[in-house]
Structures are given as C-alpha cells and as structure tokens.
Amino acid sequence: MFSKACEYGIRAMIYIAQQSRQGERVGLKDVAQGIDSPEAFMAKILQALSRQGLVQSVKGPNGGFYMDAPGLKVTLAEVVLAIDGDQLFTGCGLGLPECNEKKPCPIHDEFKLIRNKIKSLLETTQVGEFNELLEKGVLHLKRV
Amino acid sequence: MFSKACEYGIRAMIYIAQQSRQGERVGLKDVAQGIDSPEAFMAKILQALSRQGLVQSVKGPNGGFYMDAPGLKVTLAEVVLAIDGDQLFTGCGLGLPECNEKKPCPIHDEFKLIRNKIKSLLETTQVGEFNELLEKGVLHLKRV
DNA sequence: GGAATAAAGGATAATTTTGTCCTTTTATTG
DNA sequence: CAATAAAAGGACAAAATTATCCTTTATTCC
Ligand code: SF4
Ligand code: SF4
C-alpha cells in the first residue's frame, strides 16, 4: 500500500506529534529508536517532510524535530502525498490504462469507492490523534 | 497498491481469458503485445501463474497459454495472492506494528473495513468477467 | 525420427528503493 | 568567539524489483 519510506514517515510524524506536545524537540536518534527505523534513512525522510513544512526542525544543541499546534493537525493524507505522491489517490490500482468514467471496466465503480474511502480516511486522520493511546501505552509504534 | 509484476499478471490473465475463449491458445509474444508488457518479464510471470495452476500452458508448435472453462472463473484475488502474496489482505497498511484487535489504533476499524472491501472486490471479480467489454472494444488493456 | 516451435528455466543486467557514511551548515552555550 | 551539538545534504552501498538474454525441455508436424 505504502512505501517503506512512507510507513516510516507516518510513524515518525505520529511519534513526534506525541513527544513534542509541550514544545519539546525530538532528536533524530530518538525518533529512529522510537519507531524502529534505520537512523540515516529516517534522516532523509524527515528532511523531506521538513522541507515541505509538515514538521518543524531546529539545528544545533537542544535542536531537533517538533510540531507547533497546527502541526498536530497535519493529516496522514498530507504525509502520504509528500512521500509517495498521489498514485494511491488517483489512477487505477489494477494498472489497467486507458479507461475513463464513460467506459468503466466492471470493477471501476466499486474500485473508485474504495479509493475514495482510503483517501477520506487518511484525510480525516491527524497525526496528533494518536497521542492519547500512545500515552496510555495501548498503541506501539515499534515491536516491543 | 500492486507490484508491476502483479499488474501485468492481472492484465495478462484477463487478456488470455478473452483470447482463448474458444479453446485457442495465446502465445507469449501475443500476450506481451496485447497488454503492453516486456516480453521476457511477462514470461516469468506467466511461468509462475502456470506453475500455480491459474493458467494452462502447452509447449511446442501451436502451443501457448489458455484457460479452460473453470479457468475463466479464477478471481483477481487468486492472481494477486499468487504474485504479491497476502500482504494486502492482512496486516496493517500503515506499517504500525504490535497492535491487535483488543488494542486498536484510532483508525483500525475503518482501515480494516476498507481492507476487507478490497479483498471482497478482488474475490468476487473473475478474470473472465471482462470479455464482453473487451470484445466491444470499450475496454483496453494497453494504451492505444 | 528430425526439424521446427514455443514454453520453462537459469543466469545476468538495469533500475528503483532502501539504507549507510561522511562532510557541511546552522544554531546554542559558555 | 570557540566549542559543541544537531539537522541538512552529498555521495555511495546494498537489496529488491523489474527487465533481458540464452539454453533446455516438451510438443507438433512432416
Ligand atoms: S475503469 Fe477499471 S481499469 Fe479503468 S480506472 Fe476504473 S477500475 Fe481501473
Ligand atoms: S490497530 Fe491501527 S496500527 Fe494496528 S493494524 Fe489496525 S490500523 Fe494498523
């Protein structure tokens, strides 16, 4: 469904959202350990997300990644779009080309319905939404 | 959503289902051209599908790939499973590990619902289902 | 049986994705 | 200002996926 980079990206955003809720910053190493991802690869992904403004970052001592209040409202859809592009939201999952609304294949309507459901699920889910469960220790972002 | 191999596989199955409806056989070259896929790669994929019994094949002159009557009833789910495995049908699309039904994350229920819809769509769609549209020229398996 | 034909299979190459390492830039602290 | 800490970025490496080529095996036709 998503690339590895995208999975790490989603998990990292959720992790940072929870860890930085009092304006604290989270270091790369912390994030990588917290979500069980390779550190250097994680760095690349966070760089990209940072460039696109989905997460804030500060260099230097006591620096790191964080989110401001509006940052917590970033949706999973935005993260996915930033990393994997819009392939999942548009186009045919079956790779059947050259079809349009007027000449749909047998599964088009249902397929489109599903695609839209995925889209809307991701669009209505914010990275800050997982905080409570994470604090309760009910949700884990890595294997224990 | 699916790997390239899987997309080619699905298209090829649909193509063969339509081309071989009078017991005719379709050659590799024919399939590859018919669905616009690299020939040698297509060969590997068809070999795998053939080994798993999802498509029939005959060697030698006038040989090729074909489906018998029950073959037309093979579902897209079977094809996907044969090529990409069950990752799409099981497990978490978000790559969040260590969660179970008792400790679901905020999106689990809706996510699972979508996953099941994809599964059931693929399970209820047979490769022979596209024949009519293909014959009418309404559906294309490659860019024209 | 021999020639021709077409899939099966093995080996290898190109590309993309994933992952690592090292240097540079920017900020903080004393 | 100097030392240090941390992200940014460039170059490179490994692994997986996609793609190609060549040989072998099975089948048909003469
Ligand atoms: S009509 Fe069929 S092939 Fe075309 S985009 Fe819709 S589902 Fe895919
Ligand atoms: S509970 Fe959440 S993280 Fe776990 S499988 Fe369900 S959707 Fe994925």
Side-chain angles (χ1 to χ4, degrees):
Chain A
M1 189 100 104
F2 304 114
S3 69
K4 226 85 183 50
C6 192
E7 287 186 7
Y8 293 149
I10 293 172
R11 299 225 296 271
M13 288 293 283
I14 292 173
Y15 184 78
I16 296 170
Q18 195 248 341
Q19 293 289 313
S20 77
R21 62 208 170 296
Q22 272 100 18
E24 288 148 43
R25 286 149 192 178
V26 202
L28 167 64
K29 198 166 297 184
D30 188 349
V31 175
Q33 280 169 6
I35 73 163
D36 203 22
S37 67
E39 196 176 314
F41 192 33
M42 190 74 261
K44 296 298 178 197
I45 298 162
L46 287 173
Q47 278 164 34
L49 291 173
S50 169
R51 269 195 304 271
Q52 302 188 58
L54 296 185
V55 69
Q56 262 44 57
S57 77
V58 177
K59 287 183 179 181
N62 197 31
F65 299 90
Y66 69 99
M67 279 166 207
D68 42 21
L72 294 175
K73 297 214 157 76
V74 167
T75 66
L76 297 189
E78 291 176 87
V79 180
V80 171
L81 193 68
I83 300 177
D84 277 353
D86 67 352
Q87 45 173 131
L88 184 65
F89 305 131
T90 61
C92 173
L94 299 187
L96 306 185
E98 183 66 27
C99 37
N100 53 54
E101 300 290 323
K102 287 173 222 140
K103 299 176 174 184
C105 84
I107 67 169
H108 181 79
D109 288 346
E110 204 176 338
F111 172 74
K112 199 176 160 192
L113 215 70
I114 290 171
R115 205 179 58 191
N116 287 344
K117 270 187 195 294
I118 295 174
K119 190 158 178 254
S120 104
L121 171 58
L122 295 175
E123 278 173 350
T124 58
T125 307
Q126 303 173 352
V127 296
E129 229 170 273
F130 301 80
N131 284 0
E132 213 177 317
L133 288 178
L134 283 169
E135 272 150 48
K136 278 192 203 146
V138 162
L139 177 66
H140 299 270
L141 294 174
K142 63 171 178 180
R143 310 224 164 271
V144 281
Chain B
M1 190 100 103
F2 303 114
S3 69
K4 224 87 183 47
C6 192
E7 286 185 8
Y8 293 149
I10 292 172
R11 299 225 297 273
M13 289 293 283
I14 292 172
Y15 185 78
I16 295 169
Q18 196 248 341
Q19 294 289 311
S20 77
R21 63 210 169 295
Q22 271 100 21
E24 289 148 43
R25 287 151 191 177
V26 203
L28 167 64
K29 198 166 298 183
D30 188 349
V31 175
Q33 281 170 6
I35 72 163
D36 203 22
S37 67
E39 196 177 314
F41 191 33
M42 190 73 260
K44 294 299 179 197
I45 298 163
L46 286 174
Q47 277 164 34
L49 291 173
S50 170
R51 268 195 303 271
Q52 302 189 58
L54 296 184
V55 69
Q56 262 42 58
S57 77
V58 176
K59 289 181 176 180
N62 196 31
F65 299 91
Y66 68 100
M67 280 166 205
D68 41 23
L72 294 176
K73 297 214 157 75
V74 167
T75 66
L76 297 189
E78 291 175 87
V79 180
V80 171
L81 194 68
I83 301 176
D84 277 353
D86 67 352
Q87 46 173 130
L88 183 65
F89 304 132
T90 62
C92 173
L94 300 186
L96 307 184
E98 183 65 25
C99 36
N100 52 54
E101 300 289 324
K102 287 171 224 144
K103 299 175 172 184
C105 83
I107 67 168
H108 180 79
D109 288 347
E110 204 175 337
F111 172 74
K112 198 175 160 193
L113 214 71
I114 291 172
R115 205 180 56 189
N116 287 344
K117 269 188 195 294
I118 295 174
K119 189 156 179 260
S120 106
L121 171 57
L122 294 175
E123 278 173 350
T124 58
T125 307
Q126 303 173 353
V127 296
E129 230 170 272
F130 300 79
N131 284 0
E132 213 177 317
L133 288 178
L134 284 169
E135 271 150 48
K136 278 191 201 148
V138 162
L139 176 66
H140 297 271
L141 294 174
K142 62 172 181 178
R143 309 223 164 274
V144 282

